[in-house]
Amino acid sequence: MTTAPLSLHHLIKPATILKDKTPVLFMLHGYGSNEEDLFSFAAELPEELCVISIRAPYPMQPYGNAWYAINFDAEKGKWSDDQEALLSIKKILNFIEEACNTYFLDKNNVTLLGFSQGAILSYATAISYPEKIKNVIALSGYINENLIDTETDIKGLSHLNIYASHGTVDQVIPVSWAQKTPLILSNLQIKHKYEEFPIGHGVSPQNFYSLKEWLKDKI
């Protein structure tokens, strides 16, 4: 399908089972990747979903894109630009609004699927702006509490559903960071499922099957 000239470059797979209001899943790729990375999953997702994979706004050299800068040479370990991340959250929300209006999608049935840096922003977007998001699939990421609006009313989070998974031998984001997720989500009274798989920084076939099964009754 031909994409419209919206604020962020993207790929789109229309729903093949049509409803009165089409639910939509937005894909947020990881650091240094692009919109084609996760889009390979699109054909295997529920047919009633419109799937839109977004390219992050900051180009990298020699290739790839990022949602926010990471300085791997920082004195105290790698450092993330949280202000740039917060700006990307605004860009994501604006794009969701644009895409729903342009492609006639259901604004009340929005799912985010993020990997790594995309998962970090998926968590932050949904928890800080729960009125905009229904479901989150967060793969190989963690909750960066610096990106979350601490004024969020817990009552406003009651409709959220979150699936989180992580590799037990992830060499990029330690599994210990992800293991804090269930407690944080429980404290926020957000419905969730957390799983670990014996893999590194990636998505195994078992992981993908599990998230598909989880998603079926959430859309």
Side-chain angles (χ1 to χ4, degrees):
M1 178 177 177
T2 303
T3 57
L6 305 183
S7 58
L8 294 173
H9 189 84
H10 58 287
L11 299 173
I12 182 169
K13 183 194 82 67
T16 51
I17 296 178
L18 299 179
K19 292 184 172 182
D20 290 339
K21 292 186 177 181
T22 304
V24 57
L25 181 147
F26 292 94
M27 294 177 160
L28 308 181
H29 64 74
Y31 181 82
S33 188
N34 62 35
E35 70 283 3
E36 295 179 359
D37 185 24
L38 297 173
F39 198 61
S40 59
F41 291 162
E44 302 300 322
L45 293 172
E47 292 181 316
E48 59 266 40
L49 275 174
C50 174
V51 178
I52 299 178
S53 189
I54 313 170
R55 180 190 297 173
Y58 301 109
M60 298 172 62
Q61 296 298 328
Y63 52 80
N65 297 78
W67 297 100
Y68 54 90
I70 299 176
N71 180 2
F72 293 94
D73 301 321
E75 290 182 5
K76 297 181 180 179
K78 65 182 181 182
W79 168 85
S80 297
D81 188 332
D82 289 343
Q83 291 306 308
E84 199 165 62
L86 291 169
L87 184 57
S88 274
I89 290 171
K90 297 289 189 183
K91 291 177 183 289
I92 290 165
L93 290 168
N94 179 65
F95 179 82
I96 289 173
E97 184 77 13
E98 284 181 330
C100 286
N101 289 335
T102 300
Y103 298 118
F104 307 105
L105 305 172
D106 188 354
K107 295 179 183 179
N108 296 314
N109 199 343
V110 172
T111 298
L112 299 180
L113 185 157
F115 176 78
S116 194
Q117 195 179 69
I120 294 167
L121 288 193
S122 294
Y123 280 131
T125 302
I127 296 172
S128 296
Y129 301 91
E131 72 280 5
K132 303 289 187 181
I133 310 298
K134 182 180 179 184
N135 307 305
V136 171
I137 298 171
L139 309 173
S140 303
Y142 68 96
I143 296 176
N144 180 348
E145 295 184 89
N146 294 330
L147 303 181
I148 294 172
D149 183 354
T150 55
E151 300 300 317
T152 297
D153 182 359
I154 287 180
K155 292 180 181 178
L157 303 172
S158 61
H159 71 284
L160 281 176
N161 297 288
I162 294 182
Y163 173 91
S165 65
H166 213 84
T168 55
V169 288
D170 192 322
Q171 72 282 17
V172 177
I173 296 177
V175 67
S176 60
W177 294 14
Q179 287 169 341
K180 298 174 183 177
T181 300
L183 178 59
I184 295 171
L185 296 180
S186 292
N187 287 340
L188 292 171
Q189 299 176 26
I190 294 174
K191 297 182 292 291
H192 63 279
K193 179 177 184 178
Y194 174 80
E195 294 187 304
E196 293 178 1
F197 296 88
I199 56 171
H201 197 61
V203 182
S204 69
Q206 295 87 350
N207 189 174
F208 187 63
Y209 174 80
S210 186
L211 74 85
K212 278 204 306 180
E213 288 300 302
W214 177 88
L215 183 60
K216 280 181 180 178
D217 65 350
K218 303 295 189 298
I219 55 176

